[in-house]
Amino acid sequence: MAKAKNFKNTETSPSPFNFLISVPTFTSLLFLPTKNTRKQNHSSSCTSSSTLLLLSLFFTIASLSLLLLLHSIPISENFNSLSPTSSPLELASFSTLLSSDNVDDHNDKPKLSTSVIMPLPIRGLSRNFSEKEREFWKQPEREDYVPCLEFGIEYRKASAKISKEKRRFLMVVVSGGLNQQKVQIVDAVVIARILEASLVVPVLQVNMIWGDDSEFSDIFDVEHFKKTLQADVRVVSSLPSTHRVSKQSVESEIPFNVSPGWIRAKFFKKINEGVLILKGLDSKLSKNLPPDLQKLRCKVAFHALKFVAPIQELGNRLAKRMWIEGPYIAIHLRLEKDVWIRTGCLTGLGPTYDKIIIHYRKSNPEFLTGRLNLTSNQRRLAGLCPLNALEIARFLKALGAPSSARIYYAGGEPFGGARALQPLKAEFSNLVTKEMLARDGELSPFLNKSSALAAIDYIVSLSSDVSIPSHGGNMAKLLQGHRAYVGHRKFIKPNKRAILPLFEDAMISEAELGTVIRKLHGRSQGQPELRTNKRDRDVLAYPVPECMCRGCRRIF
């Protein structure tokens, strides 16, 4: 595996005290919300500037005192274990030790701060980078936004009854790939809340394309899922014996964009009569929900859906192996055979490969999900096709990515094998896959388990310095929102409609192309964007303002 040598030894080993004074929870303690009878909007400051000044002074003195105290005693094993390669969960756990918010006698009630899935920390850059390269690695301004999942008083009052519900039960069957299933699970929890019902742990439908028969417990930590949501919805592993012979209503014909009112009107009577089973939840629930239900969606996606330990631990190890070499890019390349079949697009690999895809598409017309009235080229120019390896390579060069950059390839086996990746490999030789990063036997438990492999890709992509999707979809949406939720880490979504005509214009020089593309994506770097600026934006991709607020107490 090729490695970028200039990334090695560019950082000095950080003192354990650096981690101590940089932990987000520590600074968040400075910004506890003050009591105020006036209603404040999401962007208002929680404290006056004079109070902040005094608190900052107090924090500085307290920090120095603590450092002097720690310096006088031997560094414990806990501090030694917090190396620059500590896993996301190790760093998150360490931060909770410093937070007084987590001192709680109720050990069976996990704090959100211990459940949020955190990426590896951002590090400083080597001085060897050019100005353009440093700009590429530079993180967007987070504008003081932090997670804050404080539910309203009416929601909390209703929770006392809903969280103990033992009469109404909702079962759901979720389909598709891992991230499609995750989004449906998020919506299932919200629907259970709307119907004031207990939720049976969702059933993962066998994936017909990849042949993956994984169950919920194979991918997600069931007990963590239950405990994290115990104040919102009662989650049970299976139907109680009293309900196994009850009347069961199966609903699979659900229209798109349904409201909470529609859900209650359609299903509340049925679920009162027994057990309600829902199928086909993909994109059915409205994106414009009341604020408390939006917060619940964030809580499920970014806190409750934690991967089981074997998956999480391997994902952490692979992320560390990328991270210790220097900053890296994660690219979710959608080059699998089924993607080309479903989108109705051409592969860019030549007539031989395109004929294979066209044959499969004609044999299985139900797989085609793109617009039927467009040609392949029209689909591509409309931004409906994934960027291929050559287009991604040109896009990265135009953005200013150094040719020595390490790139993590997230995705399944590309149609066309190594040939499909060759144009990207030619420009960026340090292209790495999970198979290349893993050591002997590490991936063996997950062979032929597409959901587990996709989860590993998700973990490594979440920890990257820069994340770029080649196409839309559920993984892109979840990564965009998750990276925003943990600190608005750089996420560049290609404007395909704008850049593809530029790629085909032979009159534009590479320098001009770079200038235009960097300008086009200046406001698409992962900086905070209000979900409410555009209708039907998904809170899972745009957690501001419902799930994040500015300058207030960090709630996670």
Side-chain angles (χ1 to χ4, degrees):
M1 178 177 69
K3 296 185 178 180
K5 296 181 179 179
N6 62 317
F7 285 149
K8 293 184 178 180
N9 302 322
T10 58
E11 306 292 332
T12 58
S13 298
S15 161
F17 302 129
N18 291 341
F19 283 99
L20 180 64
I21 63 176
S22 65
V23 173
T25 311
F26 222 146
T27 55
S28 69
L29 294 176
L30 296 178
F31 304 106
L32 299 176
T34 57
K35 292 182 179 180
N36 193 338
T37 57
R38 296 182 180 180
K39 185 177 181 180
Q40 297 179 338
N41 61 31
H42 69 275
S43 62
S44 62
S45 174
C46 291
T47 54
S48 66
S49 58
S50 59
T51 303
L52 288 177
L53 182 60
L54 289 173
L55 285 173
S56 298
L57 180 61
F58 171 78
F59 171 67
T60 303
I61 295 171
S63 299
L64 290 173
S65 301
L66 183 57
L67 288 175
L68 289 172
L69 175 63
L70 289 171
H71 192 64
S72 65
I73 60 175
I75 297 174
S76 70
E77 292 181 0
N78 288 336
F79 278 96
N80 284 331
S81 67
L82 285 169
S83 67
T85 58
S86 294
S87 77
L89 296 180
E90 288 169 344
L91 293 172
S93 298
F94 178 65
S95 69
T96 61
L97 293 175
L98 299 177
S99 172
S100 60
D101 291 339
N102 292 288
V103 179
D104 195 325
D105 294 331
H106 303 287
N107 293 325
D108 61 329
K109 295 182 179 180
K111 293 291 183 178
L112 288 183
S113 54
T114 62
S115 66
V116 67
I117 301 170
M118 295 289 289
L120 291 169
I122 294 292
R123 93 299 310 285
L125 294 178
S126 166
R127 294 179 182 177
N128 297 332
F129 290 124
S130 68
E131 183 178 347
K132 186 169 68 172
E133 291 170 344
R134 292 179 69 85
E135 186 64 27
F136 174 80
W137 295 116
K138 181 181 176 181
Q139 294 299 311
E141 292 293 332
R142 60 188 296 177
E143 299 177 19
D144 295 328
Y145 279 104
V146 294
C148 47
L149 298 183
E150 296 192 68
F151 293 88
I153 185 65
E154 294 302 321
Y155 181 96
R156 298 200 300 273
K157 284 181 179 179
S159 294
K161 176 185 175 183
I162 296 173
S163 62
K164 295 178 176 60
E165 175 59 44
K166 295 182 179 180
R167 188 166 57 93
R168 291 182 287 269
F169 287 88
L170 173 67
M171 297 183 69
V172 295
V173 180
V174 299
S175 59
L178 171 71
N179 294 289
Q180 186 177 358
Q181 290 175 339
K182 284 177 70 175
V183 173
Q184 292 174 61
I185 293 167
V186 170
D187 287 350
V189 173
V190 174
I191 292 172
R193 174 77 190 198
I194 293 169
L195 295 174
E196 301 177 17
S198 290
L199 175 68
V200 181
V201 169
V203 176
L204 308 189
Q205 185 173 313
V206 176
N207 193 301
M208 301 306 295
I209 295 177
W210 297 285
D212 190 342
D213 59 355
S214 297
E215 298 181 358
F216 188 99
S217 58
D218 295 325
I219 306 298
F220 303 108
D221 185 328
V222 175
E223 291 308 310
H224 177 86
F225 184 73
K226 292 179 181 179
K227 286 186 177 181
T228 303
L229 297 173
Q230 64 185 2
D232 308 277
V233 170
R234 181 170 176 256
V235 181
V236 297
S237 296
S238 60
L239 278 176
S241 57
T242 54
H243 282 68
R244 289 174 188 170
V245 293
S246 300
K247 180 180 178 181
Q248 297 184 355
S249 300
V250 181
E251 295 284 343
S252 57
E253 298 297 325
I254 303 172
F256 290 100
N257 201 37
V258 298
S259 67
W262 189 95
I263 293 286
R264 285 185 67 87
K266 179 73 174 177
F267 299 132
F268 197 76
K269 183 178 179 181
K270 292 182 179 180
I271 204 169
N272 268 334
E273 296 173 350
V275 178
L276 176 64
I277 303 173
L278 295 182
K279 298 181 178 181
L281 286 182
D282 193 25
S283 301
K284 299 304 174 65
L285 191 62
S286 171
K287 303 297 183 291
N288 302 294
L289 299 172
D292 284 328
L293 294 183
Q294 299 284 34
K295 288 179 171 62
L296 180 57
R297 296 189 83 225
C298 291
K299 186 175 181 180
V300 181
F302 306 138
H303 295 270
L305 285 174
K306 174 185 173 184
F307 299 121
V308 291
I311 293 175
Q312 188 70 52
E313 289 166 3
L314 179 55
N316 288 343
R317 287 199 297 273
L318 299 190
K320 287 181 195 176
R321 291 169 195 168
M322 291 295 295
W323 192 85
I324 60 175
E325 295 286 342
Y328 72 94
I329 308 164
I331 296 180
H332 185 212
L333 281 174
R334 305 304 311 276
L335 304 180
E336 301 93 337
K337 180 191 289 185
D338 71 287
V339 175
W340 296 119
I341 294 171
R342 287 187 290 106
T343 57
C345 301
L346 299 180
T347 64
L349 298 174
T352 302
Y353 290 91
D354 289 338
K355 285 180 181 178
I356 296 173
I357 295 299
I358 292 170
H359 172 74
Y360 272 101
R361 194 179 297 141
K362 287 181 177 179
S363 303
N364 302 276
E366 69 277 9
F367 288 167
L368 183 61
T369 57
R371 297 180 185 177
L372 300 177
N373 59 339
L374 298 179
T375 66
S376 295
N377 191 53
Q378 287 172 331
R379 293 173 193 272
R380 177 175 172 270
L381 293 178
L384 300 176
C385 296
L387 295 178
N388 60 36
L390 175 60
E391 291 162 345
I392 278 288
R394 296 194 67 185
F395 183 63
L396 285 172
K397 287 179 65 178
L399 289 173
S403 59
S404 59
R406 284 168 59 79
I407 297 177
Y408 180 82
Y409 167 82
E413 179 67 24
F415 179 63
R419 177 174 176 176
L421 296 176
Q422 194 278 329
L424 180 58
K425 184 83 172 176
E427 296 290 346
F428 298 90
S429 59
N430 293 318
L431 181 63
V432 181
T433 65
K434 52 185 169 289
E435 290 79 12
M436 295 167 66
L437 282 175
R439 293 170 184 162
D440 291 344
E442 284 185 323
L443 284 175
S444 298
F446 310 116
L447 294 179
N448 301 318
K449 298 292 183 181
S450 62
S451 291
L453 296 175
I456 291 168
D457 279 340
Y458 185 92
I459 295 166
V460 181
S461 298
L462 180 63
S463 288
S464 66
D465 296 80
V466 179
S467 178
I468 300 175
S470 70
H471 194 46
N474 290 298
M475 181 167 174
K477 174 171 65 178
L478 288 167
L479 275 175
Q480 178 182 348
H482 202 155
R483 288 174 69 87
Y485 193 72
V486 296
H488 285 97
R489 303 180 71 148
K490 197 160 197 171
F491 183 90
I492 304 175
K493 187 161 56 175
N495 185 338
K496 291 184 285 187
R497 289 187 182 183
I499 65 175
L500 290 175
L502 295 174
F503 287 163
E504 296 180 353
D505 190 341
M507 301 298 292
I508 300 178
S509 68
E510 290 298 312
E512 290 173 324
L513 181 66
T515 300
V516 173
I517 286 182
R518 286 192 295 274
K519 186 175 181 179
L520 273 173
H521 295 83
R523 288 297 301 169
S524 301
Q525 303 282 309
Q527 54 267 73
E529 291 186 66
L530 295 183
R531 187 194 68 83
T532 48
N533 279 355
K534 290 184 180 179
R535 184 171 174 78
D536 296 329
R537 275 184 169 178
D538 195 331
V539 75
L540 299 184
Y542 299 91
V544 178
E546 288 93 347
C547 302
M548 303 185 75
C549 48
R550 181 180 285 169
C552 295
R553 178 180 179 179
R554 181 187 296 266
I555 307 293
F556 76 30

